[in-house]
C-alpha cells in the first residue's frame, strides 16, 4: 500500500522541517503544496525530501489540497493522509488512519471531539460545533470534527471526490463529497496539539462567515 | 414632464444603445441583452408614465407607485449581486486551475 502524506503549507518555514522529519517514517513519500508562500517553506521542504508543488500565488487550503490530490494520483498513491504544516497533528497517529483504511474505510477523519477537545480553547470548540452543524444542514453529512485537517483518503476516494472550493471551506466540502459519492467514512480520535504558534493561526469570526457563505453557494450551484 | 422624468428617459435610451453596442462587440450575451433592454424600457416607461407604477402598486397591494419601484429595484439588485457572487466564485475556480497547471508543469519539468 503506497502511502503519501499531503501537507498544504502557507508560510510555515518555522515548523515545516520538524513536521516533515516526524512524518517521514510513517509514509512512503511526502507531498508539500506550497501555496504561494513568501518565505522559505518550499526550499526547506525540498531539502527535507518532500515532493514540492508550488502555487505561484496563494489560492487557499482547498486549492492546495486539490493540487496535492492531483499530484498524489499521478504518483500512484493508494492512500493519501493530509496533515497540517504547523505542528498541530501528531504523525505517530497516522497508524490509526491506516487501521481505518484497512478495515474498509474510503475516508478517515481524525476527530478532536472524540478525545474531548482537550487543549482546545473554548471559542475554537464553539467554532468546531458550528462547522459540524453547517456541514450537516447544508450537505446532510454529520461528523464530529468537520474542520479537522488530519484526514486520510484511498485512491478510490480520490477518484470520486471533486473539489470546487478554494479556501477553508474545503474541509466541509470533502465530507460533503464523501457523502455524495457514498464513500465509507469513519472517524478516529486524535490529539489537538496547540502551541502559541498554531493558536495564532486560525480563522477569525469574519472569515468564518465568509466560509459559510461560500458553502451555501457551493450547495446551491452543485 | 419633470426634469427627473426626462433625465431617466434620456439615460434609458443611452443605456440601451450602449448595451446593443456591447452585444455587437460580443461582450454581452443575447440573454443579458434581452434582460437589460427590457429593464431600461421598463424604467423609461415608468418614468414617462408614472401612472403605470401606481397601477402596478394597486394591483400588488402597495400604497404608492414609487414604493413598488423601490421594492422591485431592491429585489433585482439582490439577485444581480447573487449572480455576481456566483460568477466570482467561478472565476476563482478558473484561476486555481491555472495555478495548479503551472505547479504540475513545474514538477514535471523537474523530473
Amino acid at each position: 500500500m503506497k502511502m503519501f502524506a499531503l501537507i498544504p503549507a502557507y508560510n510555515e518555514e518555522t515548523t515545516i522541517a520538524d513536521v516533515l522529519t516526524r512524518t517521514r517514517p510513517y509514509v512512503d513519500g511526502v507531498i508539500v503544496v506550497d501555496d504561494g508562500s513568501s518565505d522559505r517553506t518550499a526550499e526547506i521542504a525540498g531539502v527535507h525530501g518532500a515532493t514540492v508543488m508550488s502555487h505561484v500565488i496563494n489560492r487557499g487550503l482547498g486549492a492546495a489540497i486539490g493540487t496535492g490530490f492531483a499530484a498524489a494520483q499521478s504518483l500512484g498513491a493508494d492512500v493519501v493522509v493530509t496533515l497540517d504544516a504547523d505542528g498541530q497533528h501528531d504523525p505517530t497517529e497516522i497508524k490509526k488512519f491506516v487501521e481505518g483504511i484497512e478495515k474498509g474505510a474510503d475516508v478517515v477523519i481524525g476527530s478532536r471531539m472524540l478525545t474531548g477537545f482537550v487543549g482546545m480553547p473554548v471559542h475554537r470548540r464553539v467554532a468546531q460545533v458550528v462547522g459540524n452543524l453547517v456541514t450537516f444542514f447544508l450537505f446532510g453529512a454529520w461528523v464530529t470534527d468537520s474542520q479537522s485537517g488530519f484526514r486520510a483518503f484511498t485512491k478510490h476516494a480520490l477518484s470520486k471526490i471533486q473539489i470546487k472550493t478554494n479556501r477553508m471551506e474545503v474541509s466541509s466540502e470533502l465530507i460533503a463529497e464523501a457523502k455524495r459519492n457514498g464513500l465509507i467514512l469513519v472517524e478516529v480520535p486524535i490529539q489537538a496539539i496547540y502551541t502559541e504558534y498554531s493558536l495564532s493561526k486560525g480563522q477569525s469570526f469574519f472569515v468564518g462567515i465568509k466560509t459559510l457563505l461560500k458553502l451555501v453557494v457551493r450547495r446551491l450551484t452543485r | 414632464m419633470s426634469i427627473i422624468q426626462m433625465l431617466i428617459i434620456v439615460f434609458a435610451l443611452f443605456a440601451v444603445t450602449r448595451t446593443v453596442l456591447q452585444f455587437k462587440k460580443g461582450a454581452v450575451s443575447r440573454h443579458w441583452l434581452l434582460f437589460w433592454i427590457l429593464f431600461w424600457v421598463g424604467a423609461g416607461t415608468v418614468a414617462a408614465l408614472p401612472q403605470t407604477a401606481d397601477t402596478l402598486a394597486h394591483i400588488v397591494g402597495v400604497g404608492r407607485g414609487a414604493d413598488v419601484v423601490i421594492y422591485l429595484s431592491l429585489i433585482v439588485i439582490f439577485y444581480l449581486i447573487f449572480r455576481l457572487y456566483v460568477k466570482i466564485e467561478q472565476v476563482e475556480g478558473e484561476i486555481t486551475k491555472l495555478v495548479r497547471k503551472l505547479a504540475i508543469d513545474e514538477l514535471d519539468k523537474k523530473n
Side-chain angles (χ1 to χ4, degrees), chain B residues 41-54:
Chain B
V41 165
T45 309
V46 171
L49 308 162
Q51 317 88 281
T52 51
D54 287 319

Side-chain angles (χ1 to χ4, degrees), chain A residues 109-138:
Chain A
I109 307 281
S111 171
R112 293 162 290 180
M113 197 191 259
L114 294 179
T115 48
F117 278 149
V118 172
M120 216 180 186
V122 175
H123 65 275
R124 288 284 177 92
R125 299 188 192 200
V126 170
Q128 250 356 84
V129 175
V130 170
N132 296 346
L133 289 169
V134 167
T135 307
F136 178 67
F137 283 118
L138 283 179

Side-chain angles (χ1 to χ4, degrees), chain A residues 31-196:
Chain A
I31 300 167
V32 169
V33 180
D34 162 36
D35 190 19
S37 302
S38 50
D39 67 5
R40 297 173 55 231
T41 298
E43 187 193 323
I44 297 172
V47 161
H48 281 81
T51 302
V52 181
M53 309 280 292
S54 278
H55 282 174
V56 288
I57 50 175
N58 176 254
R59 297 306 302 154
L61 179 67
I65 289 181
T67 299
F69 277 4
Q73 285 176 301
S74 74
L75 288 170
D78 295 305
V79 175
V80 174
V81 178
T82 66
L83 59 158
D84 287 0
D86 61 2
Q88 204 189 82
H89 297 132
D90 179 7
T92 63
E93 295 188 305
I94 289 179
K95 54 177 167 349
K96 293 187 190 174
F97 291 82
V98 174
E99 274 163 29
I101 301 254
E102 282 170 349
K103 286 190 193 150
D106 297 306
V107 178
V108 184
I109 307 281
S111 171
R112 293 162 290 180
M113 197 191 259
L114 294 179
T115 48
F117 278 149
V118 172
M120 216 180 186
V122 175
H123 65 275
R124 288 284 177 92
R125 299 188 192 200
V126 170
Q128 250 356 84
V129 175
V130 170
N132 296 346
L133 289 169
V134 167
T135 307
F136 178 67
F137 283 118
L138 283 179
F139 303 105
W142 174 256
V143 294
T144 60
D145 194 352
S146 57
Q147 306 306 305
S148 172
F150 211 168
R151 331 169 182 90
F153 303 87
T154 60
K155 188 162 71 168
H156 173 68
L158 250 48
S159 69
K160 292 286 179 188
I161 289 173
Q162 285 173 25
I163 300 176
K164 291 186 187 167
T165 63
N166 282 309
R167 307 231 165 235
M168 306 295 299
E169 58 273 10
V170 70
S171 297
S172 295
E173 191 192 18
L174 284 167
I175 291 157
E177 279 294 285
K179 169 107 180 153
R180 184 179 72 88
N181 287 292
L183 301 173
I184 300 167
L185 191 155
V186 305
E187 297 186 88
V188 298
I190 57 164
Q191 304 269 35
I193 302 168
Y194 283 100
T195 61
E196 223 177 277

